[in-house]
Amino acid sequence: MATVKENLLRATALTESDSPRLDLEVLLCHLLGKSRAWLYTWPEHPLDEAQQSSFDRLVERRIAGEPVAHLTGSREFWSLPLKVNRATLIPRPDTEVLVEAVLATCPQVAASLLDLGTGTGAIALALASERKQWQITAVDTMPAAVALAEENRQLLGFENVQVFRSDWFSALGGHTFDVIVSNPPYIDTKDPHLREGDVRFEPLTALVAEEQGLADIRKIATDARRFLTEGGLLAVEHGWDQGKAVRKMFTDSGYTSVETRRDYAGRERITLGRYGHFCA
Ligand SMILES: C[S@@+](CC[C@H](N)C(=O)[O-])C[C@H]1O[C@@H](n2cnc3c(N)ncnc32)[C@H](O)[C@@H]1O
Protein backbone atom coordinates (compact mmCIF):
# COMPACT_ATOMS: atom_id res chain seq x y z
CA MET A 1 0.00 0.00 0.00
CA ALA A 2 1.28 3.49 -0.84
CA THR A 3 2.00 5.85 2.05
CA VAL A 4 0.82 9.44 2.53
CA LYS A 5 4.21 10.69 1.34
CA GLU A 6 4.20 8.50 -1.77
CA ASN A 7 0.70 9.63 -2.69
CA LEU A 8 1.69 13.28 -2.34
CA LEU A 9 4.58 12.72 -4.76
CA ARG A 10 1.93 12.20 -7.45
CA ALA A 11 1.56 15.99 -7.58
CA THR A 12 3.80 16.02 -10.67
CA ALA A 13 0.87 14.48 -12.62
CA LEU A 14 -1.29 17.60 -12.02
CA THR A 15 0.42 19.55 -14.77
CA GLU A 16 -2.43 22.06 -15.30
CA SER A 17 -2.86 23.02 -11.64
CA ASP A 18 -1.22 26.14 -10.16
CA SER A 19 -0.99 24.38 -6.80
CA PRO A 20 -0.58 20.63 -7.43
CA ARG A 21 0.92 19.65 -4.07
CA LEU A 22 -1.66 21.65 -2.10
CA ASP A 23 -4.48 20.16 -4.20
CA LEU A 24 -3.39 16.63 -3.28
CA GLU A 25 -2.96 17.54 0.39
CA VAL A 26 -6.51 18.98 0.52
CA LEU A 27 -7.95 15.91 -1.23
CA LEU A 28 -6.08 13.53 1.07
CA CYS A 29 -7.18 15.46 4.19
CA HIS A 30 -10.78 15.31 2.92
CA LEU A 31 -10.55 11.57 2.27
CA LEU A 32 -8.84 10.64 5.54
CA GLY A 33 -10.67 13.19 7.71
CA LYS A 34 -7.31 14.55 8.92
CA SER A 35 -5.56 17.94 9.01
CA ARG A 36 -2.59 18.97 6.85
CA ALA A 37 -0.48 18.95 10.03
CA TRP A 38 -1.40 15.26 10.44
CA LEU A 39 -0.17 14.49 6.90
CA TYR A 40 3.20 16.07 7.74
CA THR A 41 3.39 14.25 11.08
CA TRP A 42 2.57 10.80 9.63
CA PRO A 43 4.14 10.70 6.13
CA GLU A 44 4.74 6.94 6.35
CA HIS A 45 1.08 6.15 7.16
CA PRO A 46 -0.19 3.65 4.54
CA LEU A 47 -3.61 4.09 2.89
CA ASP A 48 -5.80 0.99 3.03
CA GLU A 49 -7.21 -0.50 -0.17
CA ALA A 50 -10.53 1.38 -0.13
CA GLN A 51 -8.83 4.70 0.68
CA GLN A 52 -6.29 4.17 -2.10
CA SER A 53 -8.90 3.48 -4.76
CA SER A 54 -10.99 6.48 -3.63
CA PHE A 55 -7.89 8.69 -3.72
CA ASP A 56 -6.95 7.36 -7.19
CA ARG A 57 -10.40 8.39 -8.46
CA LEU A 58 -10.11 11.87 -6.92
CA VAL A 59 -6.67 12.37 -8.48
CA GLU A 60 -7.96 11.30 -11.90
CA ARG A 61 -10.84 13.77 -11.67
CA ARG A 62 -8.46 16.55 -10.58
CA ILE A 63 -6.15 15.74 -13.51
CA ALA A 64 -9.24 16.09 -15.76
CA GLY A 65 -9.62 19.63 -14.38
CA GLU A 66 -12.44 19.32 -11.83
CA PRO A 67 -12.04 21.99 -9.13
CA VAL A 68 -10.77 20.74 -5.77
CA ALA A 69 -13.80 22.38 -4.12
CA HIS A 70 -16.17 20.27 -6.23
CA LEU A 71 -14.24 17.13 -5.31
CA THR A 72 -14.39 17.86 -1.58
CA GLY A 73 -17.82 19.58 -1.72
CA SER A 74 -16.61 22.48 0.38
CA ARG A 75 -14.59 25.70 0.36
CA GLU A 76 -13.57 28.01 3.17
CA PHE A 77 -14.64 31.67 2.87
CA TRP A 78 -14.00 34.25 5.60
CA SER A 79 -12.95 31.23 7.74
CA LEU A 80 -16.44 29.74 7.34
CA PRO A 81 -16.72 26.22 5.91
CA LEU A 82 -19.21 26.47 3.03
CA LYS A 83 -20.77 23.66 1.01
CA VAL A 84 -20.32 24.14 -2.73
CA ASN A 85 -21.69 22.41 -5.81
CA ARG A 86 -22.18 22.96 -9.52
CA ALA A 87 -25.21 25.25 -9.02
CA THR A 88 -23.11 28.36 -8.52
CA LEU A 89 -19.69 29.96 -8.20
CA ILE A 90 -17.03 28.56 -5.87
CA PRO A 91 -16.37 31.51 -3.51
CA ARG A 92 -13.09 33.28 -4.30
CA PRO A 93 -10.67 34.91 -1.83
CA ASP A 94 -10.96 38.18 -3.82
CA THR A 95 -14.59 38.48 -2.72
CA GLU A 96 -13.37 38.82 0.88
CA VAL A 97 -12.27 42.34 -0.17
CA LEU A 98 -15.96 43.16 -0.70
CA VAL A 99 -16.77 41.87 2.79
CA GLU A 100 -13.88 43.91 4.26
CA ALA A 101 -14.98 47.06 2.41
CA VAL A 102 -18.56 46.78 3.68
CA LEU A 103 -17.45 46.12 7.27
CA ALA A 104 -15.03 49.05 7.16
CA THR A 105 -17.70 51.38 5.76
CA CYS A 106 -20.66 50.37 7.92
CA PRO A 107 -20.75 51.02 11.67
CA GLN A 108 -21.65 48.42 14.31
CA VAL A 109 -25.30 49.46 14.49
CA ALA A 110 -28.48 47.67 13.48
CA ALA A 111 -28.89 47.71 9.72
CA SER A 112 -30.62 45.86 6.92
CA LEU A 113 -28.54 44.37 4.11
CA LEU A 114 -29.38 42.71 0.81
CA ASP A 115 -26.97 40.29 -0.96
CA LEU A 116 -27.96 39.93 -4.64
CA GLY A 117 -26.83 36.71 -6.38
CA THR A 118 -25.82 35.07 -3.12
CA GLY A 119 -24.69 31.73 -4.61
CA THR A 120 -23.36 29.66 -1.69
CA GLY A 121 -24.37 32.53 0.62
CA ALA A 122 -20.70 33.46 1.00
CA ILE A 123 -21.00 37.25 1.33
CA ALA A 124 -24.24 37.23 3.35
CA LEU A 125 -22.97 34.60 5.80
CA ALA A 126 -19.55 36.24 6.20
CA LEU A 127 -21.26 39.54 7.05
CA ALA A 128 -23.71 37.75 9.37
CA SER A 129 -20.74 36.26 11.24
CA GLU A 130 -19.41 39.77 11.91
CA ARG A 131 -22.65 41.73 12.44
CA LYS A 132 -25.12 39.74 14.58
CA GLN A 133 -27.37 42.82 14.82
CA TRP A 134 -27.89 43.13 11.05
CA GLN A 135 -30.96 41.75 9.29
CA ILE A 136 -29.64 40.15 6.12
CA THR A 137 -31.59 39.11 3.02
CA ALA A 138 -29.83 36.88 0.48
CA VAL A 139 -31.36 36.12 -2.93
CA ASP A 140 -30.45 34.22 -6.06
CA THR A 141 -32.37 33.45 -9.23
CA MET A 142 -31.23 29.81 -9.41
CA PRO A 143 -33.34 27.52 -7.18
CA ALA A 144 -30.38 25.16 -6.63
CA ALA A 145 -28.22 28.08 -5.45
CA VAL A 146 -31.00 29.23 -3.10
CA ALA A 147 -31.16 25.70 -1.64
CA LEU A 148 -27.37 25.63 -1.21
CA ALA A 149 -27.23 29.04 0.49
CA GLU A 150 -30.07 28.01 2.82
CA GLU A 151 -28.25 24.76 3.65
CA ASN A 152 -25.10 26.75 4.49
CA ARG A 153 -27.13 29.19 6.57
CA GLN A 154 -28.65 26.36 8.57
CA LEU A 155 -25.30 24.56 9.02
CA LEU A 156 -23.74 27.76 10.35
CA GLY A 157 -26.83 28.60 12.41
CA PHE A 158 -27.27 32.25 11.42
CA GLU A 159 -30.80 33.26 12.42
CA ASN A 160 -30.41 36.83 11.15
CA VAL A 161 -30.20 35.76 7.48
CA GLN A 162 -33.15 34.89 5.25
CA VAL A 163 -32.62 33.28 1.84
CA PHE A 164 -35.10 33.15 -1.02
CA ARG A 165 -35.44 33.14 -4.77
CA SER A 166 -35.53 36.42 -6.64
CA ASP A 167 -34.56 37.58 -10.11
CA TRP A 168 -32.48 40.50 -8.81
CA PHE A 169 -35.09 42.76 -7.07
CA SER A 170 -38.25 41.10 -8.44
CA ALA A 171 -39.39 39.38 -5.19
CA LEU A 172 -38.42 42.20 -2.82
CA GLY A 173 -41.69 44.16 -2.96
CA GLY A 174 -41.48 47.48 -1.18
CA HIS A 175 -38.54 46.55 1.09
CA THR A 176 -35.65 48.94 1.47
CA PHE A 177 -32.11 48.24 2.70
CA ASP A 178 -29.32 50.27 4.28
CA VAL A 179 -26.74 48.29 2.33
CA ILE A 180 -26.97 46.37 -0.96
CA VAL A 181 -24.03 44.17 -1.96
CA SER A 182 -23.47 41.97 -4.98
CA ASN A 183 -20.88 39.88 -6.71
CA PRO A 184 -22.89 39.50 -9.92
CA PRO A 185 -21.90 37.78 -13.16
CA TYR A 186 -19.48 40.19 -14.91
CA ILE A 187 -17.44 38.19 -17.42
CA ASP A 188 -17.77 39.04 -21.11
CA THR A 189 -19.50 36.17 -22.94
CA LYS A 190 -16.54 36.02 -25.37
CA ASP A 191 -13.79 35.96 -22.70
CA PRO A 192 -11.36 33.12 -23.56
CA HIS A 193 -10.71 32.49 -19.83
CA LEU A 194 -14.14 30.79 -19.72
CA ARG A 195 -12.42 27.81 -21.34
CA GLU A 196 -9.68 27.55 -18.68
CA GLY A 197 -9.34 26.24 -15.12
CA ASP A 198 -12.13 25.97 -12.55
CA VAL A 199 -14.61 28.21 -14.44
CA ARG A 200 -15.14 25.42 -17.01
CA PHE A 201 -17.02 23.57 -14.25
CA GLU A 202 -19.04 26.55 -13.00
CA PRO A 203 -22.42 27.57 -14.50
CA LEU A 204 -22.50 30.41 -17.03
CA THR A 205 -25.47 31.80 -15.05
CA ALA A 206 -22.96 32.69 -12.32
CA LEU A 207 -20.28 34.03 -14.63
CA VAL A 208 -21.29 35.89 -17.75
CA ALA A 209 -23.23 39.03 -18.57
CA GLU A 210 -24.00 40.95 -21.77
CA GLU A 211 -22.50 44.39 -22.60
CA GLN A 212 -18.89 43.19 -22.15
CA GLY A 213 -19.92 41.78 -18.75
CA LEU A 214 -21.51 45.00 -17.48
CA ALA A 215 -25.25 44.38 -18.06
CA ASP A 216 -26.06 42.92 -14.62
CA ILE A 217 -24.06 45.60 -12.77
CA ARG A 218 -25.92 48.26 -14.77
CA LYS A 219 -29.29 46.74 -13.84
CA ILE A 220 -28.30 46.50 -10.16
CA ALA A 221 -26.97 50.09 -10.03
CA THR A 222 -30.12 51.39 -11.74
CA ASP A 223 -32.72 49.46 -9.72
CA ALA A 224 -30.92 49.57 -6.34
CA ARG A 225 -31.84 53.27 -6.08
CA ARG A 226 -35.47 52.28 -5.38
CA PHE A 227 -34.44 49.72 -2.74
CA LEU A 228 -31.87 51.75 -0.75
CA THR A 229 -32.76 53.76 2.33
CA GLU A 230 -31.75 57.46 2.24
CA GLY A 231 -27.93 57.58 1.97
CA GLY A 232 -27.75 53.78 1.62
CA LEU A 233 -24.63 52.02 0.35
CA LEU A 234 -24.27 49.97 -2.84
CA ALA A 235 -21.12 47.83 -3.16
CA VAL A 236 -20.40 45.57 -6.14
CA GLU A 237 -17.56 43.34 -7.21
CA HIS A 238 -16.45 43.61 -10.86
CA GLY A 239 -13.65 42.66 -13.21
CA TRP A 240 -10.17 44.18 -12.83
CA ASP A 241 -10.62 46.21 -16.03
CA GLN A 242 -14.20 47.41 -15.31
CA GLY A 243 -13.49 49.94 -12.51
CA LYS A 244 -13.66 53.04 -14.69
CA ALA A 245 -16.89 51.93 -16.43
CA VAL A 246 -18.56 50.99 -13.12
CA ARG A 247 -17.59 54.29 -11.46
CA LYS A 248 -19.11 56.15 -14.44
CA MET A 249 -22.24 53.99 -14.25
CA PHE A 250 -22.61 54.78 -10.52
CA THR A 251 -21.99 58.50 -11.00
CA ASP A 252 -24.34 58.76 -14.01
CA SER A 253 -27.02 56.99 -11.91
CA GLY A 254 -26.73 59.66 -9.19
CA TYR A 255 -24.58 57.82 -6.60
CA THR A 256 -22.16 59.94 -4.59
CA SER A 257 -18.92 59.20 -2.67
CA VAL A 258 -18.14 56.72 -5.47
CA GLU A 259 -14.84 54.92 -4.97
CA THR A 260 -13.13 51.70 -6.06
CA ARG A 261 -11.14 49.37 -3.80
CA ARG A 262 -8.35 47.08 -5.00
CA ASP A 263 -7.90 43.34 -4.41
CA TYR A 264 -4.82 41.74 -2.80
CA ALA A 265 -3.08 41.84 -6.20
CA GLY A 266 -3.64 45.61 -6.47
CA ARG A 267 -6.37 45.42 -9.14
CA GLU A 268 -9.58 47.53 -9.09
CA ARG A 269 -12.31 45.09 -8.04
CA ILE A 270 -14.93 46.65 -5.72
CA THR A 271 -16.89 49.85 -6.35
CA LEU A 272 -18.99 51.55 -3.68
CA GLY A 273 -21.37 54.49 -3.74
CA ARG A 274 -24.14 56.10 -1.70
CA TYR A 275 -27.55 57.08 -2.93
CA GLY A 276 -29.30 60.11 -1.49
CA HIS A 277 -28.28 62.16 1.50
CA PHE A 278 -26.11 60.22 4.00
CA CYS A 279 -26.34 61.01 7.75
CA ALA A 280 -23.43 59.30 9.57
C1 LIG B 1 -20.50 35.50 -9.49
S1 LIG B 1 -21.73 34.50 -8.69
C2 LIG B 1 -21.51 35.05 -7.02
C3 LIG B 1 -21.92 34.07 -5.96
C4 LIG B 1 -21.59 34.51 -4.52
N1 LIG B 1 -22.24 35.77 -4.20
C5 LIG B 1 -20.09 34.64 -4.34
O1 LIG B 1 -19.61 35.78 -4.25
O2 LIG B 1 -19.41 33.62 -4.26
C6 LIG B 1 -23.20 35.30 -9.23
C7 LIG B 1 -24.50 34.74 -8.68
O3 LIG B 1 -25.56 35.54 -9.22
C8 LIG B 1 -26.66 34.70 -9.49
N2 LIG B 1 -27.52 35.37 -10.48
C9 LIG B 1 -27.37 35.45 -11.83
N3 LIG B 1 -28.37 36.13 -12.37
C10 LIG B 1 -29.20 36.50 -11.38
C11 LIG B 1 -30.44 37.22 -11.32
N4 LIG B 1 -31.02 37.66 -12.43
N5 LIG B 1 -31.01 37.40 -10.12
C12 LIG B 1 -30.42 36.93 -8.98
N6 LIG B 1 -29.26 36.22 -8.98
C13 LIG B 1 -28.65 36.02 -10.16
C14 LIG B 1 -26.04 33.41 -9.99
O4 LIG B 1 -26.94 32.32 -9.91
C15 LIG B 1 -24.82 33.29 -9.06
O5 LIG B 1 -25.13 32.55 -7.92
Side-chain angles (χ1 to χ4, degrees):
M1 286 296 134
T3 63
V4 162
K5 185 173 157 191
E6 285 162 346
N7 273 295
L8 292 178
L9 289 174
R10 298 166 67 188
T12 50
L14 274 62
T15 50
E16 285 184 27
S17 170
D18 294 335
S19 53
R21 166 84 185 200
L22 178 63
D23 292 359
L24 289 195
E25 288 180 1
V26 171
L27 292 176
L28 205 44
C29 290
H30 165 70
L31 184 76
L32 300 178
K34 304 288 187 191
S35 65
R36 286 175 67 207
W38 187 92
L39 299 183
Y40 284 95
T41 311
W42 305 103
E44 304 302 336
H45 177 84
L47 271 61
D48 67 28
E49 206 170 317
Q51 289 169 338
Q52 189 62 58
S53 73
S54 297
F55 190 62
D56 291 348
R57 274 200 304 280
L58 288 173
V59 173
E60 276 162 29
R61 290 171 64 187
R62 183 64 191 130
I63 288 171
E66 273 191 68
V68 172
H70 284 175
L71 298 174
T72 61
S74 67
R75 171 55 52 91
E76 197 167 281
F77 181 83
W78 202 258
S79 299
L80 302 173
L82 296 180
K83 288 206 167 195
V84 302
N85 63 32
R86 286 179 175 241
T88 186
L89 194 85
I90 300 164
R92 306 288 203 270
D94 286 349
T95 302
E96 295 186 345
V97 177
L98 175 56
V99 174
E100 279 170 9
V102 170
L103 290 174
T105 311
C106 301
Q108 296 259 15
V109 294
S112 55
L113 178 136
L114 170 66
D115 175 20
L116 291 165
T118 196
T120 55
I123 299 168
L125 297 171
L127 290 168
S129 74
E130 300 288 340
R131 295 284 194 269
K132 310 280 187 239
Q133 69 279 42
W134 285 10
Q135 283 306 317
I136 297 180
T137 301
V139 301
D140 203 288
T141 194
M142 301 305 292
V146 173
L148 181 63
E150 174 59 14
E151 187 181 356
N152 281 321
R153 185 198 72 76
Q154 286 182 19
L155 287 169
L156 294 167
F158 292 129
E159 298 294 332
N160 59 331
V161 180
Q162 57 167 338
V163 185
F164 55 90
R165 181 162 183 243
S166 179
D167 175 3
W168 298 136
F169 298 92
S170 68
L172 293 164
H175 283 93
T176 54
F177 302 89
D178 301 311
V179 184
I180 298 178
V181 297
S182 186
N183 173 18
Y186 54 73
I187 300 176
D188 182 2
T189 49
K190 296 191 197 72
D191 192 320
H193 293 103
L194 291 168
R195 294 191 293 275
E196 294 170 13
D198 285 4
V199 291
R200 290 170 297 166
F201 295 83
E202 293 171 305
L204 289 176
T205 46
L207 300 169
V208 303
E210 300 295 329
E211 265 186 66
Q212 286 87 47
L214 290 168
D216 286 323
I217 296 177
R218 184 182 304 286
K219 174 154 184 61
I220 289 168
T222 304
D223 293 354
R225 296 176 298 182
R226 285 189 291 119
F227 291 88
L228 280 169
T229 54
E230 186 68 18
L233 179 78
L234 174 65
V236 298
E237 178 171 328
H238 50 72
W240 61 270
D241 55 353
Q242 294 172 331
K244 192 173 167 197
V246 175
R247 280 192 298 280
K248 180 167 179 350
M249 211 183 273
F250 273 42
T251 307
D252 289 351
S253 299
Y255 291 85
T256 55
S257 309
V258 175
E259 56 168 318
T260 299
R261 303 276 169 88
R262 294 174 185 271
D263 66 14
Y264 306 122
R267 297 166 305 194
E268 292 190 333
R269 295 300 303 284
I270 310 292
T271 292
L272 307 100
R274 295 213 174 256
Y275 194 70
H277 182 64
F278 173 55
C279 308

